[in-house]
Structures are given as C-alpha cells and as structure tokens.
Amino acid sequence: MVSRMFRLETEVDTSRRDLLRRRLRDTNTAASPVLRGLRGTPGERELPLHVWALDDAGAVAGGLVGHTWATWLHVTYLWVDGRHRGAGLGSQLLAQAERVARDERGCASVRLETWDFQAPEFYQKQGYDVVCVIPDYPPGITEYTLVKRLR
C-alpha cells in the first residue's frame, strides 16, 4: 500500500476551478448515458433567459433572471418592485419565461428556490410543487425547492 501526502489549500483559484469543472463534466459524461447524449447538442449549454417589466419611464418594475438547460428552465431571481406587487406582474413575468422556455427552447419543466418569507405560496398558486425543504438555510430561514411541469 502506497502512502501519499497531500497539501490542502483554501485559496480561490479560477484556473483550478475551471479545470475541476471540466474534469467533473468529463467524469459525469462518462458515467451517464443521458449526459453523454447531451454532449455536442444545443441542450448541452446553459442559455440565459431574462424577462423585464419596465414602467412608463423605462425603469425596472420587475424582472426574472434564469437560464435554460437540458429541457429545464431554472429561475434564479424573480423580483417585483413593492409599488407594483399585488397587480399580477410576478405572475406575468413567470408565465412569459415559462412560455419562452416551453415554446422556443423545448423545455418541459421549471425549477426554482425560494425562502419561507419570500414566495413559496405564490409559486404553488402558479402550479409549482414543493420537492425539497431545507430548514435553517441560513439559520432561522427555510429554503424551498419547487418544480413545475410545462407540458
């Protein structure tokens, strides 16, 4: 048996991060026929998807930032200015993103995360199902992961 010594470092190193990402992608591709099938196809890449609501002055009244990948839309941020909440703007932003993801990018599902004080009930009213609950993330807050089928 060979004994090896390793030096562990905690510094941020973007070139090593990129190397690690490539190696992990290669390992995952080798292990998964699904990921292997995505290689070299348009579905392999994350494509940004943004939807903006602008008021009469052109200021941002709300927006959604996410991306599509492998038949999924991942909503990263959805925000509506307090002055415009309760008027259905969040529902419109989400519906537009879902439409683009489904009709223009071939997505079948959506996923997102939200905290207990944000909007889990809002998303459930839009047809989303809670699939994961993480209490105390961060301490004192509960995080929810929700999904929705688009087809």
Side-chain angles (χ1 to χ4, degrees):
M1 182 166 155
V2 177
S3 176
R4 296 191 176 135
M5 300 280 291
F6 297 97
R7 184 179 74 238
L8 301 180
E9 298 177 357
T10 59
E11 66 197 42
V12 174
D13 184 323
T14 57
S15 64
R16 287 179 184 166
R17 178 205 61 205
D18 294 344
L19 173 67
L20 190 69
R21 182 183 299 141
R22 284 190 307 274
R23 288 184 178 174
L24 181 59
R25 185 188 67 194
D26 291 345
T27 300
N28 290 345
T29 299
S32 168
V34 172
L35 294 177
R36 203 167 29 257
L38 281 173
R39 290 300 289 267
T41 71
E44 178 183 27
R45 292 194 176 94
E46 291 182 3
L47 295 175
L49 195 159
H50 298 183
V51 181
W52 304 104
L54 307 176
D55 66 17
D56 292 339
V60 174
L64 180 149
V65 171
H67 66 270
T68 56
W69 176 75
T71 74
W72 281 81
L73 165 62
H74 185 190
V75 175
T76 308
Y77 308 121
L78 173 60
W79 174 83
V80 174
D81 186 285
R83 296 172 292 165
H84 305 292
R85 290 187 187 144
L89 186 53
S91 299
Q92 291 176 44
L93 290 163
L94 192 57
Q96 178 69 4
E98 291 172 356
R99 186 197 64 73
V100 169
R102 181 187 60 242
D103 298 345
E104 297 177 22
R105 300 191 185 182
C107 290
S109 303
V110 186
R111 67 167 287 196
L112 57 87
E113 297 82 26
T114 190
W115 284 322
D116 55 3
F117 65 87
Q118 289 178 320
E121 297 85 9
F122 164 79
Y123 291 113
Q124 289 175 302
K125 288 178 187 174
Q126 308 303 314
Y128 285 74
D129 295 313
V130 174
V131 295
C132 179
V133 178
I134 305 173
D136 285 330
Y137 184 76
I141 296 174
T142 299
E143 182 181 85
Y144 295 86
T145 300
L146 296 100
V147 298
K148 178 180 178 179
R149 299 283 303 160
L150 294 177
R151 299 178 189 200

